[in-house]
Amino acid sequence: MLAEESIRDEQRDEQPARRPVTLLWVVKRVGFYLLLALGGLAVMAGALFVNVRYGFYIPARWVGLILYTTLIFWVVVRYCRPQWQMPKFWVSVTGCLVTHLLFFDWVLTVYPDWRVIWFMPIAIVEGGMIGALVAFVCKSA
C-alpha cells in the first residue's frame, strides 16, 4: 500500500513533457522579440517627434509608471497562465490594474518630485501582492 502511494505521488509531481526546441521555434521567438523592440523604438520615436514638433513633454515619472505597470502585470498574467480561461481571473486582474493606476495617478500628481527608481521596490512588493491576490481569487470557489 505504501509503495502504491509513493508511485502515485511521483506521477503527480512529474512535469508534462516539454516541446523540443527547433530552429523554426527559435526563429519565431527571435522575430517576436525583434518586433517588440522595433515597436518600442517606434513608440519612443513618436514621443520624441511629438516633443520636438509640438513641445509636448511627458515627465519621466509617467513613463516610469507605464513601464513598471507593464512589467508588473505582464509577470502576473504570464505566471497565472493556467487561470486565463477563468472570467474571475480577468476581473481580478482588471480590478487590480484600475486600482493601481488610480493610486499612482494620485501619487504622481501630489508628488511631482517622484523619482523613477522609487518604482522598483514598490513594483517588487506590489507584484507579489497582486499575484497572491489573483491566485487567491482564482483558487477560491
Side-chain angles (χ1 to χ4, degrees):
M1 185 70 168
L2 191 57
E4 291 177 21
E5 290 176 9
S6 174
I7 291 172
R8 276 191 233 130
D9 288 341
E10 288 176 13
Q11 290 173 346
R12 190 176 356 164
D13 293 338
E14 289 181 14
Q15 297 293 328
R18 297 186 70 125
R19 293 186 315 193
V21 176
T22 63
L23 180 62
L24 179 63
W25 181 86
V26 171
V27 169
K28 284 182 178 180
R29 182 66 69 153
V30 168
F32 173 72
Y33 287 125
L34 283 174
L35 286 175
L36 278 179
L38 288 174
L41 287 174
V43 168
M44 288 190 298
L48 181 65
F49 172 76
V50 168
N51 184 3
V52 170
R53 178 83 166 118
Y54 300 105
F56 182 73
Y57 174 72
I58 301 171
R61 63 186 186 271
W62 292 102
V63 174
L65 174 65
I66 292 167
L67 294 176
Y68 277 104
T69 299
T70 304
L71 176 67
I72 290 169
F73 284 91
W74 177 77
V75 169
V76 169
V77 169
R78 177 140 177 144
Y79 179 75
C80 296
R81 189 174 188 146
Q83 285 87 20
W84 282 8
Q85 72 275 9
M86 304 171 78
K88 61 184 173 182
F89 167 75
W90 292 108
V91 170
S92 63
V93 167
T94 303
C96 289
L97 177 62
V98 168
T99 305
H100 165 84
L101 290 174
L102 288 173
F103 175 75
F104 274 105
D105 177 47
W106 173 77
V107 168
L108 297 180
T109 303
V110 171
Y111 300 106
D113 292 334
W114 183 272
R115 304 283 179 240
V116 175
I117 194 71
W118 295 347
F119 280 112
M120 189 176 299
I122 292 172
I124 292 168
V125 172
E126 188 180 13
M129 289 172 37
I130 292 171
L133 178 68
V134 168
F136 175 75
V137 167
C138 289
K139 297 255 190 257
S140 63

